Amino acid sequence: MRFSENWLREWVNPPISTDELMARLTMAGLEFDKIEPVASKFNLVVVGEIVSVEPHPNAKKLSICKVNVGEDEPILNIICGASNVSIGMKTPAALIKARIGDLKIEKSELRGIISFGMLCSGKELGLEEHSDGIMVLPKDAPAGVDIRQYMQLEDFSIEIDLTPNRGDCLSIEGVAREVGALTKSKLTYLDCSPVSAKIKDTLPIDSHELCPHYVGRVINNINIKALTPIWMQERLRRSGVRSINAVVDVTNYVLLELGQPMHAFDLNHLVGGIKVRMAQAGESLTLLDERTIDLNEQSLVIADHEKPLALAGIMGGQDSGVTNKTNNIFLESAFFAPTSISNTARRYKLHTDSSHRFERGVDPQLQRRAMERVTSLLINIVGGQPGPIIETIDDTIIPVPVIKLYSSKVKRLLGIKIKSIEIPRILTSLGMTVTPYSSILSDTDFKLPLSTEKIEELVWEVCPPSYRFDISLEVDLIEELARIYGYDNIPTKLPKSDLILSSQPTLALEQLQSILVQRDYQEAITYSFVEPGLQAKLDPKAKLMTLANPLAKDMAVMRTTLWAGLLPIVQYNQKRQMNRVRLFETGLRFIKSEELEQEQMLAGVVSGMRWSEQWGQTEQAIDFFDAKSDVEALISHTNYHFVPTTHPALHPGQTAAIYCNNENIGLLGALHPSLIQELELQAPVYLFELRLLPLYKVSLPQFKEISKYPSIRRDLALVVSQDVNISQLQTCIWEMNFETLIDLQLFDVYQGKGIPLDQKSLAIGLLFQSDLRSLTDSEIDDIVRQLINKLEQTLGAKLRE
């Protein structure tokens, strides 16, 4: 929202500086964005009246002008090169010794004739972006008056950023209400008295449920060639709006002043009456910006009895717009449903000052008042005979909430006690109707700590004004109290609470993320919406959860695995010669059962080389065990093991289910060759995905004294079947529960000469130690014999010869 500070101060003029005013607005939620002067720095520039114009004898493009710069001043000879100079014209004239920016005006000789000043364009004074000649001032501008005084240029153009819920501040009146409430200053409201009808002309109006309030008026015999007053042009310019013609300027002016978008139709182009309706299939409309759009049946339009005239609340049509030949107009002031305008504007990729306000909500009771204001301004500027106001209204569609506000709730949420007289004052200053009465309630009614003590408190019934769409709950009222009371006036207090240490320690997500980052992974963040085809290939057994209104075709279903987001990133990088990819992501997966379930997951993908390219290492492609070691680093605090399994998206010979504390928590494996080919990826690609909840559980470390007695190691080479894995071997050994066996490690796997083709050799190291005494060789030999016998009976293992 951009506006003139002087214009605002005509509504409310608190005794504070511009800087303090901006600071107050910012702290109240109307964030100050920028401020700039409305004109360039200049002085000694006055209103000049050209009394004669003669061609320069020595230059075809120059004119010698006699300029009146005041009754007490001599007529000045000023040479000008502008093509629009004419006798009787009023224009800014810079006198000798004037400064315009860095330019100093001095007496100068141009082609043999002395010039005593300069006639100025709007661009030179910083009043226009583009100028085709010198600036034209109104004919009643008094010659000799300082131009800064005449145009009130000691002013600033202020721009504030508004949140979408504060559509009520998209007007001078709205900002003035806020300033008045913040500074306890009195507002000067507009006189919008009814303008009496001079003619009986009306039009029949047929409204629509999406337009519960529509106001119209006919005005005949206007002078479309009348000029917009300079004060209005300046206020529009300082608000970022270009002057077009008097009728359009007045509707734009009231838009900025009151926040009500309005439109003027050329009455001579209307057939029958006005119909607010949905567009019909096959209709089209050429807008004021000369763009032609094909309307669909979901678009609300303003039409006559033959054709659509305007896109309701967004932009008028070119065929029914006001032109330089218009003499009769029909004015429209309406309230449209915000969602309808928002959807239509987005559908046609249009964003106008009108749609911006309707999307955020316009006061549904403002339309008649705005119509009277526009009528009054138009009659004063372009003349004409107004007809009676035509109005259709449906009050049932615009409910007005009544909210109860309790003093105890205010204190509980804000942490301070605001004086009982101050609460209704603040709310009333914001335009709300406040009805106080007393009530006796218990603390427990407000979910405070258990108490049966009865306390007397104040209760108010508050009715928000029609322009505050964002206020519907008690907490909304309390937020308003905090804003106007001042966040700076609310003391900062640290919360107090009793900290209870959990008996069950947990691992933080950041710790798991840090483990992967330290192992050269980078974190990715992808959408929960994924491409249906890829989702079906990665998890064909899962039920697809299709979105009703997807953002795009490749974001149409909810993911059941995080791989659906990570693999496209690998594909994207590999196509750009980034072959070494190590990514992980934490997020939710969605499972469709009787109800939609969601589960926190951690997933990763690796591809390319084991190390970044360097001189000290030869290039080696990653393998299954590289990915497995990364997973083991994540689950090392648990009792884990891996079990071979299969998965449709993974290589049948390189897939493992991951178990922690005998609970299946995820998968690890190589991407299936068919998927690598289909996705045009470069092998190898390894994936893992883990459920996060089991990983958060950590057992408390238990102290154990280090034994002072020496340990004994025995190495065994066992020949077993190809089907036997190391976990079976380890389980069998640990189940024998030898107290002195403290560690077991696999240190070699051999297949080849001396070993049958269907067998393999596993070399394991056994470490023995006692806390009570030194162990003897005979004791260890006896344990080893028992182990060998057990392994032979259970797994068919034999000592390698």
Side-chain angles (χ1 to χ4, degrees):
M1 172 66 185
R2 187 176 173 186
F3 56 89
S4 156
E5 182 184 2
N6 285 352
W7 191 6
L8 175 65
R9 287 187 181 272
E10 285 187 11
W11 283 75
V12 58
N13 191 12
I16 56 177
S17 66
T18 301
D19 290 341
E20 187 176 351
L21 175 63
M22 293 303 97
R24 292 274 192 98
L25 286 174
T26 298
M27 287 304 297
L30 280 64
E31 184 180 1
F32 158 66
D33 187 22
K34 66 179 179 180
I35 182 171
E36 54 189 13
V38 300
S40 302
K41 289 185 178 180
F42 62 83
N43 63 1
L44 295 179
V45 179
V46 301
V47 176
E49 180 183 11
I50 301 174
V51 296
S52 69
V53 180
E54 297 178 359
H56 195 293
N58 302 320
K60 292 182 180 180
K61 294 185 178 181
L62 298 180
S63 300
I64 302 173
C65 303
K66 301 288 185 181
V67 183
N68 172 18
V69 292
E71 294 181 359
D72 300 331
E73 300 294 332
I75 300 296
L76 299 181
N77 235 29
I78 298 179
I79 298 175
C80 177
S83 59
N84 66 331
V85 65
S86 62
I87 296 174
M89 181 179 180
K90 299 287 183 68
T91 188
L95 307 178
I96 301 301
K97 297 184 180 180
R99 281 192 175 274
I100 303 176
D102 295 331
L103 175 65
K104 184 177 180 181
I105 306 300
E106 297 178 344
K107 181 172 65 175
S108 58
E109 183 177 331
L110 295 175
R111 298 290 183 95
I113 296 179
I114 297 176
S115 178
F116 293 89
M118 183 178 80
L119 302 183
C120 305
S121 68
K123 183 179 180 181
E124 289 166 332
L125 299 180
L127 301 177
E128 298 173 356
E129 291 186 5
H130 306 286
S131 298
D132 295 328
I134 58 175
M135 186 176 181
V136 181
L137 297 175
K139 291 183 179 181
D140 60 355
V145 174
D146 190 295
I147 202 73
R148 298 193 76 91
Q149 176 186 344
Y150 173 70
M151 298 186 69
Q152 298 182 2
L153 297 180
E154 301 304 328
D155 189 13
F156 290 98
S157 180
I158 297 170
E159 189 166 343
I160 57 177
D161 286 334
L162 299 173
T163 51
N165 66 312
R166 293 309 306 271
D168 62 295
C169 289
L170 287 168
S171 65
I172 289 291
E173 184 178 50
V175 177
R177 280 192 299 256
E178 288 288 309
V179 174
L182 290 168
T183 62
K184 301 181 182 179
S185 301
K186 184 179 179 181
L187 265 68
T188 303
Y189 285 97
L190 287 175
D191 179 13
C192 296
S193 302
V195 178
S196 58
K198 303 298 182 183
I199 57 176
K200 296 182 180 181
D201 296 22
T202 62
L203 287 179
I205 296 176
D206 183 11
S207 194
H208 189 275
E209 63 180 7
L210 294 178
C211 178
H213 195 184
Y214 190 97
V215 177
R217 179 174 240 164
V218 172
I219 302 181
N220 287 340
N221 301 318
I222 65 169
N223 177 17
I224 194 64
K225 295 183 180 179
L227 297 177
T228 304
I230 189 71
W231 61 266
M232 183 176 286
Q233 290 187 41
E234 274 298 293
R235 286 182 176 179
L236 291 173
R237 180 185 70 83
R238 297 173 198 186
S239 300
V241 178
R242 180 173 57 91
S243 176
I244 299 174
N245 61 50
V247 174
V248 176
D249 288 352
V250 167
T251 57
N252 285 338
Y253 181 80
V254 173
L255 168 77
L256 296 170
E257 187 177 54
L258 299 179
Q260 173 63 52
M262 302 188 70
H263 187 64
F265 297 95
D266 189 324
L267 184 62
N268 297 334
H269 289 82
L270 304 187
V271 179
I274 292 294
K275 287 187 176 182
V276 184
R277 61 172 173 83
M278 304 307 291
Q280 299 171 1
E283 288 185 323
S284 63
L285 177 65
T286 301
L287 301 174
L288 288 173
D289 62 0
E290 300 182 353
R291 172 184 166 187
T292 299
I293 59 173
D294 294 323
L295 300 171
N296 65 34
E297 297 174 0
Q298 296 178 346
S299 302
L300 188 69
V301 297
I302 309 298
D304 60 15
H305 289 180
E306 286 187 353
K307 59 190 179 298
L309 304 173
L311 205 55
I314 300 174
M315 189 180 292
Q318 190 178 58
D319 295 339
S320 60
V322 174
T323 67
N324 56 8
K325 296 181 180 180
T326 300
N327 61 351
N328 302 318
I329 60 174
F330 176 76
L331 291 173
E332 170 192 275
S333 177
F335 170 80
F336 299 106
T339 52
S340 171
I341 302 302
S342 175
N343 292 338
T344 304
R346 191 173 294 111
R347 184 178 303 118
Y348 297 110
K349 298 180 180 178
L350 292 170
H351 185 81
T352 63
D353 288 339
S354 177
S355 68
H356 185 75
R357 285 163 173 79
F358 278 124
E359 287 175 18
R360 284 152 179 77
V362 170
D363 182 358
Q365 298 179 8
L366 178 62
Q367 289 68 46
R368 190 180 186 100
R369 180 165 164 252
M371 179 62 75
E372 299 290 6
R373 175 62 172 164
V374 164
T375 304
S376 176
L377 289 171
L378 284 174
I379 298 302
N380 290 333
I381 297 171
V382 300
Q385 292 85 44
I389 282 184
I390 318 156
E391 184 174 24
T392 64
I393 186 168
D394 183 357
D395 291 325
T396 61
I397 301 180
I398 310 169
V400 179
V402 176
I403 309 166
K404 280 189 177 181
L405 176 64
Y406 297 87
S407 58
S408 62
K409 189 74 170 287
V410 174
K411 182 179 179 181
R412 183 163 68 88
L413 292 187
L414 298 185
I416 59 170
K417 183 177 182 181
I418 300 178
K419 292 181 180 179
S420 58
I421 195 173
E422 188 71 2
I423 290 176
R425 186 203 69 78
I426 291 175
L427 297 177
T428 303
S429 70
L430 291 170
M432 304 184 198
T433 303
V434 182
T435 305
Y437 63 92
S438 294
S439 178
I440 297 179
L441 299 170
S442 75
D443 282 348
T444 53
D445 290 335
F446 299 97
K447 299 180 182 178
L448 291 174
L450 291 176
S451 170
T452 57
E453 180 185 356
K454 299 286 184 177
I455 59 169
E456 185 173 357
E457 62 175 343
L458 289 175
V459 185
W460 296 269
E461 275 193 349
V462 182
C463 182
S466 54
Y467 49 78
R468 289 303 299 269
F469 290 86
D470 58 321
I471 297 178
S472 59
L473 303 172
E474 185 181 12
V475 290
D476 298 328
L477 296 175
I478 297 173
E479 180 187 2
E480 293 301 296
L481 291 173
R483 282 195 322 109
I484 305 303
Y485 185 79
Y487 296 117
D488 290 342
N489 296 324
I490 299 176
T492 301
K493 293 182 180 179
L494 293 176
K496 295 181 179 179
S497 64
D498 295 326
L499 298 179
I500 302 174
L501 293 178
S502 172
S503 59
Q504 176 63 49
T506 58
L507 198 66
L509 175 61
E510 290 77 10
Q511 292 174 274
L512 296 172
Q513 292 170 324
S514 179
I515 290 171
L516 290 174
V517 169
Q518 291 168 8
R519 299 178 77 88
D520 205 18
Y521 280 76
Q522 292 180 308
E523 185 173 10
I525 301 175
T526 65
Y527 287 103
S528 297
F529 317 133
V530 296
E531 198 272 319
L534 180 58
Q535 171 65 54
K537 292 182 179 69
L538 293 175
D539 196 358
K541 295 181 180 179
K543 296 180 181 179
L544 292 181
M545 289 167 283
T546 306
L547 299 177
N549 297 296
L551 297 174
K553 290 182 180 179
D554 59 351
M555 301 174 69
V557 298
M558 305 291 287
R559 67 187 179 190
T560 61
T561 170
L562 273 60
W563 295 343
L566 291 173
L567 283 175
I569 302 178
V570 177
Q571 183 186 53
Y572 182 90
N573 279 272
Q574 287 189 351
K575 287 182 177 181
R576 286 157 181 79
Q577 290 78 50
M578 297 293 293
N579 296 325
R580 187 174 185 268
V581 180
R582 299 174 69 83
L583 298 171
F584 77 92
E585 180 179 12
T586 59
L588 296 173
R589 72 170 178 180
F590 303 88
I591 305 168
K592 188 175 183 181
S593 54
E594 293 181 359
E595 294 182 0
L596 178 63
E597 298 179 8
Q598 53 188 26
E599 186 174 23
Q600 275 193 314
M601 304 295 290
L602 186 154
V605 59
V606 290
S607 70
M609 296 297 110
R610 182 170 293 159
W611 302 288
S612 298
E613 187 176 2
Q614 56 163 304
W615 64 270
Q617 293 280 359
T618 58
E619 288 191 350
Q620 297 179 26
I622 58 167
D623 59 24
F624 178 87
F625 297 100
D626 292 313
K628 182 172 177 283
S629 68
D630 295 333
V631 172
E632 287 179 322
L634 291 170
I635 61 178
S636 59
H637 60 284
T638 69
N639 180 16
Y640 69 88
H641 65 278
F642 296 86
V643 177
T645 188
T646 59
H647 187 276
L650 300 178
H651 194 294
Q654 298 187 55
T655 304
I658 306 165
Y659 285 81
C660 289
N661 302 321
N662 295 319
E663 179 184 1
N664 189 333
I665 68 162
L667 281 170
L668 163 68
L671 186 62
H672 200 287
S674 63
L675 277 176
I676 288 180
Q677 184 176 2
E678 190 171 341
L679 297 176
E680 298 180 353
L681 298 175
Q682 297 178 24
V685 177
Y686 291 92
L687 301 159
F688 63 85
E689 187 168 37
L690 307 169
R691 292 165 48 221
L692 274 174
L693 194 58
L695 298 185
Y696 291 149
K697 300 175 183 178
V698 181
S699 58
L700 280 172
Q702 300 293 325
F703 171 76
K704 183 179 180 181
E705 186 176 351
I706 298 175
S707 175
K708 60 184 178 180
Y709 299 102
S711 61
I712 299 176
R713 173 168 171 145
R714 290 284 191 271
D715 291 342
L716 300 178
L718 300 169
V719 177
V720 296
S721 171
Q722 286 277 19
D723 298 333
V724 176
N725 57 51
I726 184 62
S727 63
Q728 292 174 283
L729 199 69
Q730 291 173 325
T731 301
C732 185
I733 294 174
W734 287 120
E735 284 179 348
M736 298 187 72
N737 293 322
F738 291 112
E739 291 183 0
T740 54
L741 179 61
I742 62 172
D743 195 16
L744 164 62
Q745 293 290 338
L746 173 73
F747 64 86
D748 184 46
V749 178
Y750 173 74
Q751 289 176 284
K753 186 177 180 181
I755 304 296
L757 292 177
D758 59 344
Q759 293 183 328
K760 59 186 175 184
S761 171
L762 301 179
I764 58 174
L766 305 172
L767 193 65
F768 299 90
Q769 190 178 39
S770 173
D771 297 329
L772 303 176
R773 57 188 174 82
S774 295
L775 298 175
T776 64
D777 288 339
S778 60
E779 288 180 280
I780 302 305
D781 292 341
D782 183 56
I783 292 174
V784 170
R785 279 194 298 271
Q786 293 181 53
L787 284 175
I788 293 173
N789 291 334
K790 177 69 174 178
L791 292 173
E792 184 175 1
Q793 293 172 9
T794 306
L795 302 175
K798 294 183 179 180
L799 279 177
R800 181 178 168 186
E801 297 178 354

